């Protein structure tokens, strides 16, 4: 099975507060993500982590991934720049890339931390899975309102924890989640 997740932001109080994450503390959030991840993902599953794993300068968060099931691949996010060398040297991720094109049950999937207007295989039935925008809505600015409208009928799916119940999701789960929440204000 292949899973996707983004924007865990372990040990990042600023993001925790900004996104109004529904936990009493960062440690409660961390424990919840670990529990949900390991109850869902098996040892031989693949997980694509689409960036922003921790606070910008907190490399101690990298070790959390040692306790998470699955073969993990990493896509670099904007909050990973200061600890990128530590991420690479940890050997916890099979690959570390900025963007990639993978196959998931015969479907071409472009994975990137950022939402894109055009992506690899866009004109050839390619799918985009991204993170970065958390639970932003049109109320966060004109660009987000435009993005919600632009993505409404495109095969583009937000795998950020803020809209994915703080757990990795399969592509099929992301597709169902977007359909079920198409009238919600956040971009999914």
């Amino acid at each position: 099975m292949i899973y996707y997740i983004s924007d865990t932001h372990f040990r990042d109080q600023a993001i925790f507060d900004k996104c109004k994450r529904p936990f009493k503390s960062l440690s409660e959030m961390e424990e919840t993500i670990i529990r949900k991840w390991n109850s869902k993902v098996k040892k031989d599953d693949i997980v694509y982590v689409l960036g922003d794993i921790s606070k910008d300068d907190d490399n101690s968060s990298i070790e959390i991934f040692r306790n998470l099931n699955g073969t993990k691949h990493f896509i670099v996010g904007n909050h990973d720049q200061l600890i990128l060398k530590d991420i690479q040297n940890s050997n916890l991720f099979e690959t570390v890339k900025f963007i990639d094109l993978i196959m998931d049950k015969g479907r071409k999937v472009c994975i990137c931390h950022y939402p894109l207007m055009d992506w690899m295989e866009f004109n050839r039935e390619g799918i985009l899975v991204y993170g970065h925008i958390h639970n932003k809505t049109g109320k966060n600015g004109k660009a987000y309102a435009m993005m919600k409208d632009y993505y409404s009928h495109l095969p583009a799916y937000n795998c950020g924890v803020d809209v994915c119940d703080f757990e990795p999701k399969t592509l099929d789960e992301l597709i169902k989640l977007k359909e079920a929440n198409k009238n919600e204000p956040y971009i999914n």
Side-chain angles (χ1 to χ4, degrees), residues 30 32 40 48 56 82 113 133-134 137 157:
E30 184 177 299
T32 300
K40 186 174 195 175
Y48 288 96
D56 295 36
L82 295 177
H113 177 66
I133 59 171
H134 298 270
T137 72
Y157 307 97

Side-chain angles (χ1 to χ4, degrees), residues 19-33:
C19 295
K20 297 178 174 65
R21 292 191 167 174
F23 304 98
K24 292 177 184 160
S25 66
L26 284 169
S27 60
E28 180 187 349
M29 179 192 76
E30 184 177 299
E31 290 166 11
T32 300
I33 292 172

Side-chain angles (χ1 to χ4, degrees), residues 71-97:
T71 300
K72 295 165 281 293
H73 296 266
F74 189 69
I75 299 293
V76 180
N78 55 303
H79 286 271
D80 304 313
Q81 301 300 319
L82 295 177
I83 60 170
L84 184 54
K85 286 280 189 226
D86 294 321
I87 292 168
Q88 292 168 322
N89 292 336
S90 73
N91 295 317
L92 291 170
F93 299 95
E94 287 289 312
T95 60
V96 177
K97 299 181 179 184

Side-chain angles (χ1 to χ4, degrees), residues 12-158:
D12 192 335
Q13 188 68 50
I15 295 295
F16 182 88
D17 295 340
K18 184 177 182 179
C19 295
K20 297 178 174 65
R21 292 191 167 174
F23 304 98
K24 292 177 184 160
S25 66
L26 284 169
S27 60
E28 180 187 349
M29 179 192 76
E30 184 177 299
E31 290 166 11
T32 300
I33 292 172
I34 292 168
R35 179 180 42 77
K36 286 182 154 202
W37 181 310
N38 285 337
S39 68
K40 186 174 195 175
V41 176
K42 306 303 176 227
K43 297 276 185 207
D44 58 344
D45 289 335
I46 296 170
V47 183
Y48 288 96
V49 180
L50 274 54
D52 288 2
I53 61 173
S54 70
K55 187 173 181 240
D56 295 36
D57 59 352
D58 186 348
N59 63 0
S60 69
S61 299
I62 298 166
E63 285 302 309
I64 293 169
F65 288 85
R66 193 171 306 284
N67 300 317
L68 297 173
N69 290 341
T71 300
K72 295 165 281 293
H73 296 266
F74 189 69
I75 299 293
V76 180
N78 55 303
H79 286 271
D80 304 313
Q81 301 300 319
L82 295 177
I83 60 170
L84 184 54
K85 286 280 189 226
D86 294 321
I87 292 168
Q88 292 168 322
N89 292 336
S90 73
N91 295 317
L92 291 170
F93 299 95
E94 287 289 312
T95 60
V96 177
K97 299 181 179 184
F98 285 87
I99 191 169
D100 203 0
L101 183 67
I102 63 165
M103 295 299 289
D104 185 339
K105 294 183 180 175
R107 300 170 287 191
K108 297 173 278 191
V109 181
C110 176
I111 50 176
C112 183
H113 177 66
Y114 305 98
L116 305 169
M117 291 188 73
D118 187 0
W119 54 86
M120 290 184 277
E121 299 296 322
F122 177 77
N123 291 319
R124 293 176 203 82
E125 299 180 13
I127 295 167
L128 173 66
V129 177
Y130 64 93
H132 184 64
I133 59 171
H134 298 270
N135 51 357
K136 290 187 173 141
T137 72
K139 291 181 181 178
N140 293 102
K142 185 178 179 182
Y144 296 105
M146 290 170 43
M147 189 181 302
K148 175 76 173 178
D149 184 55
Y150 182 72
Y151 278 173
S152 67
H153 292 62
L154 291 175
Y157 307 97
N158 181 358

